[in-house]
Amino acid sequence: MRYCNDGTTDQEQRHKVNPLGLVLGGGGVRCLSHLGVAQCLQDHGLRPDHITCSSTGTLVGILLAAEIPPADIRRVLDSFRIRWGWLWPTLRSGGLFNQQNFLRILDAFGIPERLEDLRLPVQVLVTDLVNAQPIALSEGNTRLLTLASCALPGIYAPVRHQGTILGDGGVTNNVPADVCRAAVGEKGIVLCSSLEMDTSMPPEEIRSFAQVVYRSIYLPIVNERYRNFRRHADILIEPFKQCPLCFSQWREILRFQNRQAMERHFRAGYKEMEQELPTLRRLLQVESAAESPLRSSFGS
């Protein structure tokens, strides 16, 4: 794909009318499906004008905002050092594991130190744990804000910054479609890649103590997320909408070392995006690009 001086592709320069905002929600290792979405867009000559991201979606969002090709991101994620570096314990209070892997990935691509120096405009969602509110940031230290936004509660420690403590953006706004809508305006197109799961479950499967407690705590949070992004998104990509919201699924979100899971999530995102391409083209008022095959790189 060839880029013009302002960062857009030559095809977009000629054809795209409405700005495209891409929302990348959080969900642990399921964020690999965002790469499938991005790869599909790239294969069909499309790219976002603005990225809004939260939680582990921020790691992918930062890399895409730096215009790192999804295939290159996948190759780094599949390297031995990265795959087995996610669960190294930490001595810091507030978390079980260190976040060096996030920094290794950013450093592997020489990501700019400041958000405002990335090639595409990006907004990173973090949670101010002191004042109990979400914050959307488009300027600031890239490494620090990536660590803060991706600080899954209890898994990774939050980050102290300017007199407050910043934690996982997903705690207060996991799929920030409203923030993206404000950025691209009413005429913009909000493409929302959500990692949320199906909230329904057969009664016979709600038996264990952990299952009851988990669903009772989590359901109000998830329902609020749904109300937010369904109100503001023009197109929803939901590759995990058939997966039940249960405690066993939550445990899967940290399996970054599993090649099969990485490949499965990537393909799920690609195929969901591919199904929505006709609608996206119509909303953006662009012509169809040549079809490109779905490629695999994890473990190849």
Side-chain angles (χ1 to χ4, degrees), residues 11-12 14-19 46 187 189 277-288:
Q11 179 184 357
E12 289 167 328
R14 294 192 302 270
H15 299 300
K16 193 163 74 173
V17 175
N18 300 320
L46 298 169
K187 292 185 178 180
I189 307 305
L277 279 174
T279 301
L280 179 59
R281 290 196 188 101
R282 175 176 55 81
L283 293 173
L284 292 174
Q285 301 179 38
V286 299
E287 296 178 358
S288 300

Side-chain angles (χ1 to χ4, degrees), residues 35 39 42 68-76 266 295 297:
L35 290 178
Q39 185 69 64
Q42 177 181 297
I68 307 300
D72 291 350
I73 300 172
R74 296 173 71 197
R75 279 193 288 272
V76 168
F266 172 84
R295 297 187 294 271
S297 68

